[in-house]
Amino acid sequence: MKVLVTGFGRFLSNEENPTKEILRLLPKSIYGNEIITVELPVIFDECFDYLKPIIDDNNPDIMLMLGLAGGRKAITLERLAVNLKDAVGPDNIGNIPTDEPIKKDGKEAYFSKLPLRKIMAKLQEKDIPVKLSNSVGLYVCNNIMYHVLYYVDQNDLDVISGFVHLPFMDEQTKEKDAFSLPLVVMLEAVIDIIKLILV
Ligand code: PCA
């Protein structure tokens, strides 16, 4: 099986992004399955234009998308993406869409294809803070999750795909009072999630 993992770099006031570090630290294979990592631009719709040829070239069996949700107090397993762009702040090239659909012919929402309950049980067993989330937001993380699930749906692809938000890593909260986790714990969680989907 081939596993494609995506993440992001800096955006808004976040100079660093734990998901970018995780892409760097993930092993090249897990249980003999190839792990491909891609850092996506934090830009509405262009994030998917960038990713699409990589999906087409690699035909992954699993797509795990990662993003930072600073301020959340756990790793959050996103249940669904919605057909809406509505940003309170700009993306990395200044787009601030308001009330715009992502795909005119798309469904209102798509559900994650990851085994969310199983993932939650596994991380809870290890005392890693984890929660289900009913909203991935309406910024670029929702945008990429929606685009990927739309693409999988439209093309009838058999790809286990979904999105997981990570909280701040400890390095990001030295000067602010916010919840964070050590990067190594989040790396372990991401590897566990991949292993669980693989078995
Ligand atoms: N988090 C943002 C976009 C990039 C990222 O890591 C979000 O939650 O939409």
Side-chain angles (χ1 to χ4, degrees):
M1 297 240 260
K2 241 185 215 180
V3 185
L4 182 54
V5 185
T6 70
F8 291 105
R10 63 148 301 277
F11 66 99
L12 296 171
S13 61
N14 305 289
E15 289 307 324
E16 292 167 294
N17 194 321
T19 68
K20 177 176 175 154
E21 304 312 314
I22 283 177
L23 298 181
R24 186 171 57 77
L25 296 169
L26 275 173
K28 298 277 167 271
S29 85
I30 294 179
Y31 297 154
N33 301 280
E34 187 184 356
I35 311 292
I36 303 157
T37 58
V38 183
E39 183 190 328
L40 300 173
V42 185
I43 304 176
F44 282 98
D45 304 324
E46 277 184 38
C47 53
F48 185 69
D49 296 340
Y50 185 88
L51 182 59
K52 186 179 171 295
I54 301 173
I55 300 175
D56 293 344
D57 285 351
N58 289 284
N59 287 315
D61 303 284
I62 297 169
M63 285 199 51
L64 177 62
M65 295 166 269
L66 303 173
L68 165 66
R72 288 196 183 170
K73 295 189 171 67
I75 292 174
T76 41
L77 314 177
E78 300 298 347
R79 272 203 235 247
L80 77 167
V82 296
N83 193 5
L84 193 60
K85 291 185 264 188
D86 192 79
V88 282
D91 68 10
N92 284 1
I93 58 162
N95 296 310
I96 313 181
T98 304
D99 294 343
E100 281 177 37
I102 297 172
K103 285 282 180 188
K104 292 216 167 68
D105 64 342
K107 291 182 184 160
E108 270 132 8
Y110 291 102
F111 287 110
S112 172
K113 296 180 179 294
L114 303 181
L116 302 180
R117 296 271 173 203
K118 273 198 201 163
I119 294 171
M120 196 159 72
K122 178 76 194 168
L123 299 189
Q124 277 171 342
E125 200 183 288
K126 294 188 148 188
D127 281 330
I128 298 176
V130 61
K131 280 202 169 96
L132 286 178
S133 162
N134 300 324
S135 176
V136 56
L138 297 173
Y139 190 58
V140 178
C141 289
N142 174 66
N143 193 252
I144 194 64
M145 183 179 178
Y146 186 89
H147 270 293
V148 166
L149 292 170
Y150 169 90
Y151 191 67
V152 166
D153 185 61
Q154 291 280 310
N155 295 289
D156 239 340
L157 302 178
D158 193 14
V159 189
I160 304 169
S161 34
F163 196 99
V164 174
H165 259 131
L166 303 180
F168 286 127
M169 58 183 166
D170 289 347
E171 291 77 356
Q172 291 177 281
T173 55
K174 289 200 181 101
E175 268 141 44
K176 56 178 165 253
D177 184 23
F179 178 86
S180 63
L181 284 175
L183 183 59
V184 283
V185 171
M186 296 199 273
L187 176 65
E188 181 185 334
V190 171
I191 293 174
D192 279 339
I193 292 171
I194 296 170
K195 285 183 174 166
L196 210 137
I197 305 168
L198 282 169
V199 292

